[in-house]
Amino acid sequence: MSEQSKMAGRQSVIFQNPPCILGRSSVAGQKEGNGPLGSFFDYIEEDPYFGADTWEEAESNMQRKAAELALKNADCKPQDIRYLVAGDLLGQLIATSFGIMELKIPMFGIYGACSTMGEAMSLASMLVDGGFANRVLALTSSHFCGAEKQFRFPLQYGNQRPLAATWTVTGSGAVVIGKKPDNSEGSVLIKGVTTGKIVDFGVKDSMNMGACMAPAAADVIYRNLRDFDRSPSYYDKIITGDLGYIGQNILFDILKEKGYDISEQHMDCGIEIFNDETQDTHSGGSGCGCSAITLTGYILEKMYQKEWNRVLFVPTGALLSPVSFNEGDSVPGIAHAVILETEG
Amino acid sequence: MAEKVTMQEILSEEDPKKRNEKYNNYVDNVTPKHSWFVNLFWAFVIGGAICTLGQALINLYRYLGAGKEDAILYQIITLVALSVIFTGLNLYPKLAKAGGAGTVVPITGFANSVAATAIEFQQEGQVFGIGCKIFTIAGPVILYGIFSSWIVGFIYWIYTLYV
């Protein structure tokens, strides 16, 4: 085997044997099912508790369901999976640990706030291309009620949500990433990744997460274009996680200033997943589940249908906790970019 | 309204502190806000309606024969009970979405903040859930309410010593 470097530019990786997406699943809540992308999801649960007694357990059930569906879609059993890379928003990743415990797969728990899907897919692809695993399951989840309880107010508490606020998506998305099969025509490969830095522009308003995360998204997209020496038009779509309407405009502004206009290619999962006018979600959707189920339900479907052949998938995360917020810290952002391309 | 800052000024600013300040100004400019006039109007209407209901209840209890002090007490109990029922039926948040401070300031807002927390945290048990967390939102009101009335009482006491 050659010793050719897999490193590209300053922050990117280019895979020598690009891993392939072998299976996918999207589990969504009722509100998401009623949204514009509702028909793309594999499974929509009407019961917000997912058959459990608590919000935390509900999210675990949702994640287990997503894992099972992805394994089924990839036509494999838990023992065929070498590693699991997963995380969620709840403290100490309890939705993940209680959700996938039964699968008995060696696992890496990760926290990337709402960028977790990008982080999980980056690490899973590295594991596969590095020869450390044949198949890896990458998944994440978020639940509106669990997130509200942890980060904001009790559900029945009466208050006004600011217009800049986003609505945490109830959903869980999973992908099985593995070695490219012999007949890979029509499949989607992960060609490379760009890992984001923590970027902090000093915004302290946790109800305006788009503004907190936009500089991080701009940074990683800029880095990706520079590291691979590409123009935005190389991609059919550049898709951010949950910047919402406000964050999207800021992203355009920053990148324009840096010499790139991505307004033609750009799409934001948070904007796509809800209809603000009828669903009263304000700036858009957010949460780990937002980018995850938009990817596994909608984006990959578009790629399999060859409507889009090259996609830069950039989930975005806001790195805050209720403690850091109370102690007066700002809300730094992070984003991870994954290059998806169709084969053949 | 803050002065309009361009993205160029933000990105070319080398001092991170000043850059953050400029970015915050910029964000302020591009973030839509609720119309204060609409908020004010609905707070007035809904908050006013709650208070009118309170007055109507006092009149009712007076009419039924209660003394002035007792009628006020019964009125408070009734409003709190109504607020808790509305909270349980998930109707109070809908009222608050339009009413804003009009639903927060009256006693019904206080009752809502206690009932909502109790519902949310009952899953964590009677002691560590409801017991520890029921005043998460209302706690500051109780603490600083008692504290400020203590200060006022103290000032009043000093005043009585010399007058």
Side-chain angles (χ1 to χ4, degrees):
Chain A
M1 210 157 110
S2 74
E3 284 297 305
Q4 191 196 335
S5 172
K6 298 179 188 187
M7 293 185 277
R10 263 201 262 170
Q11 280 168 235
S12 302
V13 167
I14 182 161
F15 294 120
Q16 278 172 358
N17 306 295
C20 177
I21 293 182
L22 303 173
R24 60 181 169 132
S25 70
S26 48
V27 175
Q30 185 68 65
K31 191 179 176 98
E32 292 68 25
N34 291 338
L37 305 184
S39 61
F40 290 93
F41 301 134
D42 298 329
Y43 183 86
I44 294 161
E45 176 64 65
E46 284 173 22
D47 173 18
Y49 277 105
F50 284 76
D53 294 322
T54 68
W55 300 129
E56 292 74 15
E57 217 184 302
E59 192 173 334
S60 293
N61 287 355
M62 185 164 72
Q63 216 177 87
R64 187 180 314 121
K65 181 93 196 166
E68 283 165 5
L69 287 176
L71 290 175
K72 204 173 145 200
N73 186 248
D75 202 17
C76 58
K77 294 186 191 65
Q79 53 267 34
D80 300 330
I81 304 288
R82 187 84 181 182
Y83 289 111
L84 217 155
V85 186
D88 61 89
L89 288 179
L90 300 180
Q92 290 78 37
L93 307 186
I94 50 172
T96 303
S97 18
F98 288 92
I100 55 181
M101 182 156 57
E102 286 169 15
L103 294 175
K104 302 203 187 308
I105 300 170
M107 106 108 158
F108 293 109
I110 57 165
Y111 185 81
C114 309
S115 74
T116 302
M117 197 57 178
E119 187 175 351
M121 289 173 71
S122 299
L123 293 170
S125 309
M126 288 182 195
L127 287 169
V128 171
D129 184 45
F132 301 102
N134 285 332
R135 289 184 204 85
V136 180
L137 182 62
L139 81 159
T140 187
S141 66
S142 57
H143 193 300
F144 173 76
C145 302
E148 285 295 304
K149 178 181 169 186
Q150 175 170 301
F151 290 102
R152 295 176 196 104
F153 295 112
L155 284 183
Q156 321 289 334
Y157 179 62
N159 66 330
Q160 280 179 328
R161 295 172 61 243
L163 293 180
T166 47
W167 189 279
T168 307
V169 164
T170 300
S172 177
V175 284
V176 177
I177 295 171
K179 284 198 168 146
K180 192 169 81 171
D182 294 334
N183 180 13
S184 63
E185 207 181 304
S187 59
V188 173
L189 302 183
I190 299 171
K191 287 290 181 79
V193 299
T194 305
T195 306
K197 297 191 290 261
I198 299 175
V199 180
D200 183 8
F201 272 31
V203 178
K204 292 185 176 183
D205 182 3
S206 67
M207 289 294 203
N208 192 353
M209 292 205 287
C212 300
M213 300 185 295
D219 190 74
V220 82
I221 293 170
Y222 174 78
R223 219 43 267 172
N224 178 274
L225 296 173
R226 291 296 301 266
D227 283 352
F228 291 97
D229 196 20
R230 286 171 184 167
S231 79
S233 61
Y234 175 85
Y235 297 106
D236 297 319
K237 284 279 166 190
I238 296 176
I239 303 173
T240 50
D242 49 6
L243 294 182
Y245 294 100
I246 298 164
Q248 182 184 46
N249 286 331
I250 300 176
L251 174 73
F252 289 167
D253 254 17
I254 298 178
L255 283 175
K256 236 173 236 164
E257 198 50 49
K258 291 188 167 201
Y260 292 108
D261 182 357
I262 64 159
S263 53
E264 216 167 285
Q265 292 84 17
H266 185 259
M267 176 187 121
D268 184 69
C269 302
I271 295 175
E272 301 297 319
I273 200 162
F274 290 124
N275 180 342
D276 174 43
E277 275 171 34
T278 57
Q279 298 189 296
D280 192 33
T281 43
H282 295 198
S283 192
S286 64
C288 305
C290 179
S291 55
I293 61 174
T294 307
L295 171 79
T296 54
Y298 181 63
I299 301 169
L300 287 176
E301 188 58 37
K302 290 274 180 195
M303 294 189 79
Y304 288 131
Q305 286 173 3
K306 300 272 179 169
E307 276 184 54
W308 305 333
N309 292 310
R310 292 165 173 173
V311 167
L312 187 65
F313 177 58
V314 192
T316 41
L319 299 171
L320 81 159
S321 86
V323 175
S324 70
F325 177 76
N326 284 345
E327 290 178 351
D329 284 325
S330 56
V331 183
I334 194 160
H336 297 291
V338 179
I339 304 168
L340 302 168
E341 291 186 20
T342 56
E343 176 87 337
Chain B
M1 203 44 126
E3 211 178 304
K4 237 188 151 88
V5 187
T6 63
M7 192 46 80
Q8 189 188 4
E9 285 174 59
I10 298 165
L11 295 180
S12 57
E13 177 62 61
E14 277 171 21
D15 178 4
K17 238 186 174 166
K18 279 190 190 154
R19 183 201 62 186
N20 289 359
E21 234 171 73
K22 285 182 178 171
Y23 183 67
N24 271 289
N25 278 345
Y26 164 91
V27 168
D28 225 36
N29 272 315
V30 296
T31 303
K33 311 243 167 28
H34 287 292
S35 148
W36 67 268
F37 182 78
V38 173
N39 267 356
L40 207 67
F41 175 78
W42 283 111
F44 178 78
V45 171
I46 295 177
I50 293 172
C51 297
T52 311
L53 175 67
Q55 185 59 49
L57 285 168
I58 295 176
N59 292 358
L60 175 71
Y61 290 126
R62 289 281 297 205
Y63 172 77
L64 294 175
K68 199 180 171 195
E69 296 277 303
D70 284 348
I72 290 174
L73 211 60
Y74 294 154
Q75 172 258 154
I76 291 176
I77 294 170
T78 315
L79 280 186
V80 166
L82 279 176
S83 170
V84 171
I85 292 167
F86 267 59
T87 302
L89 295 174
N90 203 15
L91 293 172
Y92 206 82
K94 293 191 175 96
L95 202 64
K97 186 177 162 54
T103 54
V104 171
V105 176
I107 188 107
T108 50
F110 186 82
N112 164 251
S113 74
V114 178
T117 321
I119 295 170
E120 188 75 286
F121 287 100
Q122 58 151 338
Q123 297 166 343
E124 293 180 26
Q126 300 296 320
V127 176
F128 292 108
I130 298 179
C132 292
K133 288 180 177 155
I134 194 163
F135 293 124
T136 318
I137 300 171
V141 183
I142 298 174
L143 173 67
Y144 296 113
I146 294 172
F147 184 60
S148 51
S149 56
W150 180 83
I151 289 179
V152 173
F154 185 73
I155 294 169
Y156 180 71
W157 176 68
I158 303 264
Y159 173 78
T160 53
L161 287 182
Y162 297 97
V163 182

